[in-house]
């Protein structure tokens, strides 16, 4: 299992796709911070608290930039898709998973190693995203004081965003192991969150749908005024999606005729 994990990371270090994806992310962050221009890839509008903070912000310091760009975090979903293909989908695209399983690796170890590598990649994406925002904005404008309140709030936000991102991709991983199709998994990742956001706009009284709008919540996580009950429901929904999809994936993979 550990050899497989090391092999995945080795392939990343020598993959043009990995460096191209990270270069796009870096260019995106530089263009946004240096021009002070915010965009959104989310189907849901930002909260009023975000707009109030944006209007009250006088210049982009390091902390201010990090706060503002929490509203653009859903871009990481799309820039993680190529890395998802390179980790979870690599053996399925080449058919080499059969060689690994026939050589003595158990299906459980295969699943765990793939999931562990993917979690590490997602974590790296967030570190690069927020780290680069902080330092680019600091050198371009000024470094804001790091207050305990800011560190605690941004820490909670990032952890919450990580959970939501893993919730989105848990469905993609389930689709990947169910169909062995990279294309189907990628399309599912994009379509199911867009469908939830669209349903929210159509069925405005179905308030329970908002707890499954992981991508829309990514962009509002820092400024949203959630009640304690809503926080619990979001955490339960995202965490439950990860656990249920993970168990289903493992069950299907164990019983699938390869």
């Amino acid at each position: 299992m550990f050899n497989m994990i090391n092999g995945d990371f080795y392939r990343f270090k020598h993959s043009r796709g990995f460096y191209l994806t990270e270069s796009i992310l870096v260019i995106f962050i530089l263009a946004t911070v240096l021009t002070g221009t915010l965009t959104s890839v989310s189907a849901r509008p930002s909260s009023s608290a975000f707009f109030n903070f944006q209007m009250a912000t006088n210049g982009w310091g390091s902390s201010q930039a990090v706060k503002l760009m929490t509203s653009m975090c859903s871009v990481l979903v799309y820039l993680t898709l190529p890395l998802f293909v390179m980790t979870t989908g690599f053996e399925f695209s080449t058919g080499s998973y059969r060689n690994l399983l026939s050589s003595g690796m158990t299906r459980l170890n295969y699943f765990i190693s793939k999931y562990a590598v993917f979690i590490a990649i997602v974590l790296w994406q967030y570190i690069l995203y927020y780290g680069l925002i902080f330092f680019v904005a600091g050198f371009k404008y000024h470094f804001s004081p790091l207050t305990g309140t800011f560190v605690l709030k941004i820490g909670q936000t990032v952890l919450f965003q990580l959970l939501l991102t893993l919730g989105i991709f848990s469905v993609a991983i389930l689709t990947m192991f169910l169909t062995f199709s990279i294309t189907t998994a990628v399309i599912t990742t994009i379509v199911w969150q867009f469908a939830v956001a669209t349903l929210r706009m159509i069925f405005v009284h179905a308030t329970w749908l908002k707890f499954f709008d992981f991508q829309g919540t990514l962009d509002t996580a820092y400024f949203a005024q959630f009640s304690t009950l809503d926080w619990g429901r979001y955490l339960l929904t995202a965490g439950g999606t990860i656990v249920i999809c993970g168990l289903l994936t493992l069950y299907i993979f164990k019983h699938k005729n390869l």
Side-chain angles (χ1 to χ4, degrees):
M1 182 174 71
F2 292 106
N3 288 336
M4 186 174 179
I5 292 174
N6 290 333
D8 281 335
F9 284 122
Y10 178 84
R11 188 170 62 253
F12 266 119
K13 290 190 297 183
H14 296 81
S15 170
R16 291 181 180 178
F18 172 71
Y19 291 106
L20 177 60
T21 302
E22 300 308 87
S23 296
I24 293 173
L25 177 57
V26 170
I27 292 170
F28 171 80
I29 293 170
L30 290 175
T32 303
V33 175
L34 296 180
T35 61
T37 305
L38 294 173
T39 58
S40 178
V41 296
S42 174
R44 299 291 301 171
S46 298
S47 66
S48 58
F50 165 77
F51 287 112
N52 293 335
F53 177 81
Q54 187 177 20
M55 295 299 294
T57 299
N58 184 19
W60 278 45
S62 54
S63 298
Q64 289 83 356
V66 169
K67 293 177 184 179
L68 287 168
M69 288 189 66
T70 58
S71 67
M72 301 172 64
C73 192
S74 58
V75 73
L76 290 179
V77 173
Y78 299 98
L79 290 178
T80 300
L81 277 171
L83 308 184
F84 167 73
V85 171
M86 283 184 273
T87 52
T88 310
F90 177 76
E91 279 79 15
F92 290 141
S93 64
T94 61
S96 57
Y97 64 91
R98 295 187 182 91
N99 298 331
L100 292 168
L101 295 175
S102 62
S103 65
M105 172 175 279
T106 66
R107 299 191 188 197
L108 175 61
N109 285 344
Y110 181 93
F111 172 77
I112 291 174
S113 63
K114 284 298 177 183
Y115 218 113
V117 170
F118 181 70
I119 291 174
I121 291 300
V122 173
L123 181 60
W124 162 249
Q125 290 290 86
Y126 273 87
I127 293 172
L128 177 62
Y129 181 75
Y130 283 114
L132 194 57
I133 291 170
F134 182 84
F135 285 105
V136 170
F139 285 113
K140 170 65 177 178
Y141 304 104
H142 64 274
F143 283 97
S144 311
L146 289 177
T147 64
T149 302
F150 167 74
V151 172
L152 178 61
K153 182 65 180 292
I154 198 64
Q156 291 173 335
T157 300
V158 172
L159 289 175
F160 183 47
Q161 289 175 327
L162 276 168
L163 185 68
L164 293 172
T165 303
L166 292 175
I168 292 172
F169 279 97
S170 66
V171 177
I173 292 172
L174 173 60
T175 305
M176 176 76 76
F177 279 82
L178 179 63
T179 65
F180 287 178
S181 170
I182 298 173
T183 303
T184 304
V186 170
I187 292 174
T188 300
T189 306
I190 298 171
V191 169
W192 85 277
Q193 280 300 288
F194 179 79
V196 170
T198 302
L199 289 172
R200 281 192 65 188
M201 289 184 276
I202 296 174
F203 302 104
V204 292
H205 297 296
T207 56
W208 59 270
L209 280 171
K210 69 181 180 180
F211 300 111
F212 292 91
D213 187 8
F214 297 158
Q215 184 175 320
T217 308
L218 274 174
D219 289 343
T220 60
Y222 187 89
F223 294 97
Q225 305 296 317
F226 295 142
S227 66
T228 302
L229 182 59
D230 276 354
W231 271 115
R233 287 171 174 169
Y234 273 113
L235 294 174
L236 181 63
T237 303
T241 300
I242 294 170
V243 172
I244 292 172
C245 286
L247 292 175
L248 281 174
T249 301
L250 186 57
Y251 177 82
I252 291 169
F253 188 48
K254 280 187 171 183
H255 293 83
K256 195 173 183 66
N257 184 7
L258 302 179

